[in-house]
Amino acid sequence: MRTVIVFNHPYEGSYCNAILKAVTKGLQKANHEVDLMHLDKDGFNPVMSEADLKAFIDHKPIDPQVIDYHERLKKADHIIFIFPIWWDLMPATTKGFVDRVLSPGVVYNHHPRGFGLVPLLKNLKSVTIITTMNKPKIMYSLLIGNLIRKAMLRSVFKTMGYKNLNWINFAYVKSVSQKKRVKWLTDIESKFAKWT
């Protein structure tokens, strides 16, 4: 199995980085080939330019990095996004990845009858979003309405026609004990060590 991880956090010492290491270790135990798209280290530009938008509409990408990401996504059995929740949503770089890389003609197409979208990543078995935040889960759920679930899973991947969509959210990260943070890492490594 080939798992693409789309990672976005600029700070090496972040809990997201610790999650990335634990998830990668688990996947390797399960004999997955891990392909890391580290958006920060790759210097990914999230801004959609006029030329990018024309390429998007024409289904002919021009940015070599976007083209490279497309080729790697086509080989993915699983995609995992790892990023922090900032101001209740994903960071700008992750949003830019959605805008610029999850393109028609590669990731989805418009239905020939004119209604709905058709998924094009034929190998893809699942999409998992892993996030961290400093709010309590109940507050994010009741007051904010779980925007990541709505934006990333329902509005993006479910609309495109993909199934087996999952969201793992680590809440109140700065406030919980170090013991709990370590347990979360152990648990998530174990989870992905059992992936098929």
Side-chain angles (χ1 to χ4, degrees), residues 31 42 64 85 87 110 143 152 176 184 187-188:
N31 294 315
D42 289 352
I85 295 176
W87 290 106
H110 294 275
L143 299 182
M152 288 291 287
V176 300
W184 283 345
D187 289 349
I188 203 162

Side-chain angles (χ1 to χ4, degrees), residues 144-156 167:
I144 310 302
N146 284 333
L147 290 184
I148 291 298
R149 184 185 306 281
K150 289 177 181 175
M152 288 291 287
L153 295 183
R154 290 184 190 159
S155 293
V156 177
W167 178 33

